[in-house]
Amino acid sequence: MFLKTLGLLLLALVGVNLGWRWASRRSLPCPTWLATFLEGSLMEWVLGTQTTLDRIGLRPGQRVLEVGPGPGRLLIPAARRVQPDGEVVGLDIQPGMIERLKARAAQKGIANLTAVQGDATRPHFPPAHFDVIWMCTVLGEIPDRETALQQYYTALKPGGRLSITEIFPDLHYQSLATVQRLAEAAGFRRQAMHGPWYFFTVNFVKG
Ligand SMILES: C[S@@+](CC[C@H](N)C(=O)[O-])C[C@H]1O[C@@H](n2cnc3c(N)ncnc32)[C@H](O)[C@@H]1O
């Protein structure tokens, strides 16, 4: 009986996962109500927030963009890392996430953070504008990933860094092979790889 229930549960989880991934071929971003789940210090620890930021390799004075920041789990501490002269921008498609990001940044007294509502495939930033662009558990939520990565290639300064982090079992998890294929097709060159397959960060450089 126990094994049967466990089997059914696993089957249901696989079904939800496959259904969600299939639906995401159009656009099905992580729901806004999940923002609360991403905000707590427990999730910061579970999802390796500081480790991810270390791997991205931010430095004071940089101008950086996070695509799909949600409520700012990574972007808010990143804003502190690029101080005193640096600035961070978060681009998210959902107004609810942007509102939450703005409110949290204001609450924590972060002044060098700009929150922009918009689509990852149409970022509208000037060419050669950013030192670093990163995404964490977002690439798989973007239906036209090829166009998005081409846009980031243009928006990065020469020698700028694209950093992509994937965490399993995120419903939109992308394998290292897929990430690398997409990034190289956009013109990026792989620079460094950190972590195991279930929590990896891969950095690329604009060649
Ligand atoms: C799973 S959450 C990850 C949030 C954050 N990166 C983190 O790791 O805590 C994915 C975020 O990407 C955003 N997103 C999904 N599709 C997007 C798109 N096409 N353009 C911009 N943001 C998008 C969602 O609104 C959501 O805030």
Side-chain angles (χ1 to χ4, degrees), residues 29-30 66 68-70 73 92-94 97 118-120 136-138 141:
C30 157
E66 179 176 7
R73 176 179 70 85
D92 204 290
I93 200 165
Q94 300 190 88
M97 290 293 193
D119 188 337
C136 178
T137 61
V138 171
E141 293 192 22

Side-chain angles (χ1 to χ4, degrees), residues 21-90:
R21 287 176 79 95
W22 180 81
S24 299
R25 290 181 311 160
R26 299 177 74 83
S27 181
L28 195 56
C30 157
T32 304
W33 58 263
L34 270 179
T36 324
F37 167 79
L38 287 169
E39 284 170 21
S41 47
L42 176 66
M43 283 322 281
E44 288 201 357
W45 177 74
V46 171
L47 297 176
T49 300
Q50 295 304 327
T51 305
T52 305
L53 290 171
D54 290 345
R55 292 171 177 178
I56 295 168
L58 300 173
R59 288 197 307 274
Q62 289 180 323
R63 183 188 286 154
V64 307
L65 168 69
E66 179 176 7
V67 179
R73 176 179 70 85
L74 291 155
L75 196 61
I76 288 175
R80 294 202 176 100
R81 289 194 182 210
V82 301
Q83 281 172 351
D85 302 323
E87 56 175 297
V88 302
V89 179

Side-chain angles (χ1 to χ4, degrees), residues 138-149:
V138 171
L139 187 61
E141 293 192 22
I142 303 171
D144 187 356
R145 298 167 299 172
E146 290 82 357
T147 301
L149 293 181

Side-chain angles (χ1 to χ4, degrees), residues 83-117:
Q83 281 172 351
D85 302 323
E87 56 175 297
V88 302
V89 179
L91 172 73
D92 204 290
I93 200 165
Q94 300 190 88
M97 290 293 193
I98 288 295
E99 285 316 308
R100 195 66 205 130
L101 174 60
K102 283 183 180 167
R104 293 187 72 228
Q107 188 188 27
K108 290 171 191 290
I110 303 285
N112 61 336
L113 184 155
T114 308
V116 180
Q117 196 230 318

